[in-house]
Amino acid sequence: MRERLKDYLFSKRHLVHEERLEHTEGGEPIEVLVSLGKLFGIRVTARGELAQLAMVRVAARNIGQHVPEPFYRGFPNTVRELPIHALLLDQVLHYARTYGMQDFSQPGHSLFEYHFERLCFAQNTEVRDYDIVMEAEARDILERTAKTWLASTRPLSTDQFLVLVDVIQSYNLPVRSCACKDTISRLIIHTRDVAYAELFQLPDVIRFVETMQYETYGSKSIRKLNLRNRDRRLVCAVLDTLLASDPVGHLRTCMERRRDWCGLLHHVHYRPTSEYGRAFVNAMRGKKVRSAWSGFEGLVAAGDTRAATDLLAKEKGSGAVLRNLDYLLSRCQSDDDVAFVLDAAKSSNKIALVQMLMHYGAYVREGPRTFSFSKFGLLRTHCETSDEELRRRTRLAPEVVEMARSKMLGYLRDACKPVLGKVYAAPELKRMAVPLRMSTSSEGVGALPSGSRLPLPPGKKLRAFTYWELVDDIDLSAIGLTEKGEQYEFSWRTMSSLQGEAIAFSGDQTSGYNGGSEYFDIMLPTFREWFCDVRYLVFCDNVYSGSPFSACFCKAGYMLRDEVDSGEVFEPKTVESSFGITCASTSAYLFAIDLELHEFVWLNIARGGSQRVAGASQLDFLLPYLHVTDVLSLYDLARLHASEMVENPEEADVVLDARDVSWAVGLLNQ
């Protein structure tokens, strides 16, 4: 079985017994079980007699075992007792050797750190329960997961997509349908199999070419095409497949991007091979067909909001009304108009309705707004300028926002049928978010949907970590956010004057291709006392060297350690989460701490652009992500699909736990 598939199953608490290894690898099952328990705190709850030595390697790869040392070997105690001038001089001398002299031959360590004696690890840790599955069972799990992802309308993360491709290729899984156009595009590009084009509609070709431009050439603009000949031939083959039938029904939609179509057809030197193809090319080069949007904008400009809404619903569907709901509501001239528009927005698309619920749950009427959206798997943001704020017409009254929120919730209830029967849902699901942004998240041990919350046990300190290879320098930073979005920076630039009992930083190690690591230790109650106006502490990774995460190896996560530290700086048994960062950017938001509620909040968000320093931009746009479970949680989603919620698992038809929440993706796409 491919390593990536075993890693995915490991993240879902499954270890795979491989028959081909039965007689080729040493190691008695009892020795393997002891090693898993001693090194990683893993307890095998089923089929322990099938344990194999390879399982230890899988655990080490996913949780971490041989991690590079931090800059300060005795972190954190030896750091807290160093004076500020020593901390600064350590940093300056290290930078002089690495960036100044370009010497990355060996990991850098402190020159002023006093000698310390590391205590034997003596901490009680939570046991991780895993089971062992046979390869046939593993295949069933993987195929069910792949079918769930193919049914999802949401783009997949890089890790999820690569797992999907491995499942398709390893088990010859037939792909007869796929709800996400982005996934189809990536399948064609990755496999060069034109048969996937049959899952497309003609207007989707533009998205396919945009995806190819970005993934293959790193370009974000379809109007600056420079495709190689092999890719031009692939585009032509996709067009031939789709133009084998009559495209008349798609002409108006394609006309919305006529300029892009004309540029594409010219660039690939497309020569139609069918009568339908010739008719389509002539239509794109003519001007007879007008798009639905031109008529829509004309009606809005004339003040006829109802007619504009009718046209949009008829031509583009209720989804288009939802996407333009703020725009339409802001042009309404009466309560009746508002009611008409909201009625036209009725939809059975659960994902779109949940997104609108989140939107109106965090709606900002006054002050500059921050817009965020995902493209090519990366989060992009834009904060209104003062001029844009003054010119803004899309400003909804509180009562209109409440009407829209109430309508969206009603439509969601209508769309959710009681398909689960009697349901027992684990209490933890009340603080777990609905998985909406699959494309911006990372897979790994302990990874959850963005916005999910976990309680932090008292008497523990949180140790955030990151480690890397194949790149000179990655920076782990923490940004403190107040309720109003004001921020404090805790990073290599500021920590020399902030080290203490509340927060400690391991140092900015730049050890190049041999690997480096960084850590933060946070004593939450003390930190809250020192920085009383900080509500959230956001941890982020930035590649200071400038190359994207996709070009290097990087892992991040957190540990829960005793206040009195013992053992190595990195102890796998204390790791609560460890996940790879593989996004095609230099900036990623890892997780946050709610200091008031003493909760851990998952972010797992990759940000577009080439930002190298965490404190160089405002992070107030993250505040809505910290409140998503207040609007709708996985428990709420389960309740909407249940005929009855029960308190006893033995009385339930379906038992939902927090270990694997892939069931939520299936519910959203039913």
Side-chain angles (χ1 to χ4, degrees), residues 37-41 121 125-126 128 571-576:
K38 184 176 180 180
L39 295 174
F40 309 107
F121 181 64
T125 57
E126 290 287 334
R128 301 182 177 96
E571 284 285 356
K573 290 176 77 171
T574 67
V575 172
E576 296 294 316

Side-chain angles (χ1 to χ4, degrees), residues 2 28 51 68 189 236 416 423 458 477 543 550:
R2 301 187 185 187
E28 293 295 324
I189 295 166
C236 289
C416 296
V423 174
S477 304
V543 186
S550 56

Side-chain angles (χ1 to χ4, degrees), residues 122-340:
Q123 176 178 326
N124 291 326
T125 57
E126 290 287 334
V127 175
R128 301 182 177 96
D129 286 337
Y130 278 70
D131 62 4
I132 294 178
V133 296
M134 303 299 290
E135 288 188 80
E137 296 170 292
R139 174 175 179 169
D140 289 342
I141 295 170
L142 291 167
E143 288 188 348
R144 286 198 304 270
T145 300
K147 290 174 182 177
T148 298
W149 287 344
L150 288 169
S152 173
T153 59
R154 310 305 297 154
L156 302 176
S157 69
T158 301
D159 296 320
Q160 291 168 334
F161 175 74
L162 293 176
V163 169
L164 174 65
V165 171
D166 278 356
V167 173
I168 292 172
Q169 293 178 341
S170 297
Y171 305 123
N172 295 317
L173 182 69
V175 181
R176 297 186 178 89
S177 64
C178 182
C180 179
K181 308 304 181 184
D182 177 85
T183 301
I184 301 172
S185 298
R186 295 169 76 184
L187 283 171
I188 297 174
I189 295 166
H190 192 90
T191 65
R192 316 293 295 184
D193 188 347
V194 183
Y196 288 116
E198 296 178 359
L199 306 175
F200 266 152
Q201 291 182 335
L202 190 58
D204 301 323
V205 173
I206 294 295
R207 179 181 294 188
F208 162 64
V209 177
E210 285 178 326
T211 304
M212 177 184 287
Q213 271 282 94
Y214 180 76
E215 294 207 348
T216 308
Y217 303 93
S219 173
K220 300 171 185 175
S221 175
I222 195 174
R223 296 182 181 177
K224 296 180 180 179
L225 291 173
N226 189 24
L227 304 181
R228 292 191 290 265
N229 285 335
R230 68 191 297 264
D231 289 329
R232 295 186 191 192
R233 290 193 293 270
L234 182 62
V235 173
C236 289
V238 169
L239 285 170
D240 286 341
T241 299
L242 294 172
L243 289 171
S245 57
D246 193 348
V248 170
H250 301 296
L251 282 181
R252 285 177 67 85
T253 302
C254 292
M255 190 59 66
E256 295 167 10
R257 303 191 66 173
R258 193 177 71 86
R259 179 180 174 184
D260 294 337
W261 270 109
C262 289
L264 172 63
L265 294 171
H266 174 75
H267 181 75
V268 301
H269 310 299
Y270 182 63
R271 296 181 179 179
T273 57
S274 68
E275 180 182 348
Y276 296 133
R278 286 187 287 274
F280 174 75
V281 170
N282 292 334
M284 286 298 102
R285 290 171 177 164
K287 296 183 179 180
K288 293 182 179 180
V289 182
R290 299 184 66 196
S291 72
W293 292 106
S294 58
F296 169 76
E297 292 291 352
L299 290 170
V300 171
D304 196 344
T305 308
R306 294 195 185 194
T309 304
D310 264 341
L311 176 65
L312 194 60
K314 180 181 178 182
E315 294 286 341
K316 307 296 293 182
S318 59
V321 179
L322 281 175
R323 289 191 296 273
N324 292 273
L325 196 52
D326 283 3
Y327 179 71
L328 288 166
L329 290 174
S330 65
R331 270 65 178 177
C332 290
Q333 300 177 10
S334 67
D335 291 344
D336 289 340
D337 285 349
V338 170
F340 182 90

Side-chain angles (χ1 to χ4, degrees), residues 406-468:
S406 179
K407 276 286 188 180
M408 297 303 109
L409 184 56
Y411 293 152
L412 182 61
R413 287 196 183 104
D414 292 341
C416 296
K417 308 300 181 184
V419 294
L420 298 180
K422 293 183 178 180
V423 174
Y424 170 81
E428 296 90 339
L429 295 175
K430 294 179 180 179
R431 303 299 281 163
M432 293 186 67
V434 178
L436 294 177
R437 294 181 178 270
M438 297 170 68
S439 64
T440 59
S441 64
S442 299
E443 289 290 329
V445 177
L448 298 171
S450 298
S452 297
R453 288 173 170 257
L454 296 171
L456 290 172
K460 296 284 187 181
K461 65 185 174 190
L462 184 137
R463 177 168 293 175
F465 67 83
T466 191
Y467 58 95
W468 64 88

Side-chain angles (χ1 to χ4, degrees), residues 558-629:
Y558 75 103
M559 293 175 270
L560 291 178
R561 305 294 292 261
D562 283 346
E563 293 182 8
V564 178
D565 207 0
S566 67
E568 299 291 337
V569 175
F570 187 93
E571 284 285 356
K573 290 176 77 171
T574 67
V575 172
E576 296 294 316
S577 178
S578 177
F579 57 95
I581 306 177
T582 57
C583 56
S585 71
T586 60
S587 182
Y589 304 109
L590 310 176
F591 42 79
I593 306 299
D594 187 330
L595 296 166
E596 182 177 301
L597 299 180
H598 210 71
E599 290 182 328
F600 178 93
V601 188
W602 270 103
L603 293 176
N604 252 2
I605 296 171
R607 182 170 185 172
S610 56
Q611 179 177 289
R612 301 188 187 187
V613 180
S617 64
Q618 288 295 118
L619 302 188
D620 55 343
F621 71 90
L622 290 174
L623 289 174
Y625 291 92
L626 304 174
H627 297 282
V628 295
T629 55

